[in-house]
Amino acid sequence: MRHSRTSAFASARSPAPTGAGGGLLPKRDLAAAWFLVVLIAVPAWALAIGQARDMGVEPGTMGMALPLFLLLWVTMMAAMMLPSMAPVAITWVRGIGRQSSGWTRTVRTVEFVGGYLLVWTAFGLLAYAALALTGGLVGDHSTAGRWIGAVAFLLAGLYQLGPLKYVCLRHCRDPMSHLVRYAGFPQPARDLRVGIHHGAYCVGCCAGLMVVLIPLGVMNVAAMAALAVVIFVEKLWSRGPLLAWAVGIAFLVLAVIAPFQDWLLPGLRGSMPSMEGM
């Protein structure tokens, strides 16, 4: 037990994946790659913000059909996740460029990105079902939103402190060993499999954080930005695991006070009466 605690503490202070102890690319290549990441992420954020401004923050799926929801969901995930998964994506795509050329390189890159987004699309199906359920409950029972919010924060906090979060975060913070493993994946569709495999770990790392979009609102731009920062720092900062732990504790505190604080539940307010009205 003592050894496991020591190991966990050591991992919490481990070098960041893109830091001096674990850099994946030369500084010049890394700067160019990050510039490309910004060029892709900025339009995704612009589209997400534009849609959020038009739709506002409401309970449930906000009347969206599943195809439209998934389209917006994938756009949101691209905006939120791309910076934090960039070290792995950049390094893998760079390897593709060394081994392939022309259309082959393009197809392989699309396979990798497509596999990653495919996993987040599948998670979007679960998110849509959860939002539809909670939206229906809020519509039928005016006070249900308070307890749904409390449960959502509770589940998010417990997940942040749980073993699955730790395993997936460790994967995302130590990409080099996994990139070596990915190189051994057999063809065909190796790049698609790599994208799916890494995407699954990314979902496992961020699932708890996504749960709080139920009370905060799935189209809440401020919440999206805050979660994107947390995800980025968790994966790339040397003390990222400590932040994950601190965020988990904060979610547990919010679970206790959420039923009494309407401002914590913008995504569940709908027809929910105020505390004064109760």
Side-chain angles (χ1 to χ4, degrees), residues 54-147:
D54 292 339
M55 301 178 67
V57 179
E58 298 179 12
T61 62
M62 296 171 288
M64 286 187 287
L66 179 59
L68 176 59
F69 176 86
L70 290 178
L71 178 61
L72 295 178
W73 177 263
V74 171
T75 301
M76 288 169 51
M77 294 306 103
M80 295 172 65
M81 303 299 168
L82 182 59
S84 63
M85 61 91 67
V88 174
I90 290 168
T91 307
W92 186 256
V93 171
R94 186 168 182 252
I96 290 174
R98 287 175 173 176
Q99 301 169 11
S100 310
S101 60
W103 280 107
T104 301
R105 177 170 55 195
T106 302
V107 170
R108 291 188 60 189
T109 301
V110 170
E111 282 187 9
F112 170 75
V113 176
Y116 181 84
L117 293 179
L118 182 63
V119 178
W120 275 107
T121 302
F123 187 77
L125 294 173
L126 297 178
Y128 186 84
L131 289 168
L133 176 61
T134 56
L137 289 174
V138 170
D140 294 338
H141 306 282
S142 59
T143 60
R146 304 185 187 284
W147 309 110

Side-chain angles (χ1 to χ4, degrees), residues 223-255:
M224 289 167 53
L227 291 178
V229 171
V230 169
I231 292 166
F232 183 86
V233 176
E234 277 186 356
K235 292 183 179 181
L236 302 184
W237 185 37
S238 60
R239 297 175 182 262
L242 290 178
L243 174 64
W245 181 85
V247 170
I249 296 297
F251 285 162
L252 294 181
V253 173
L254 293 179

Side-chain angles (χ1 to χ4, degrees), residues 188-227:
R190 178 175 65 183
D191 301 289
L192 178 65
R193 290 182 58 196
V194 170
I196 291 174
H197 189 271
H198 185 64
Y201 273 101
C202 189
V203 167
C205 182
C206 304
L209 297 172
M210 295 299 105
V211 170
V212 301
L213 288 176
I214 292 176
L216 296 180
V218 72
M219 297 302 291
N220 186 330
V221 174
M224 289 167 53
L227 291 178

Side-chain angles (χ1 to χ4, degrees), residues 140-165:
D140 294 338
H141 306 282
S142 59
T143 60
R146 304 185 187 284
W147 309 110
I148 292 172
V151 170
F153 282 120
L154 175 63
L155 292 177
L158 293 176
Y159 190 91
Q160 282 286 112
L161 301 175
L164 183 57
K165 168 73 178 190

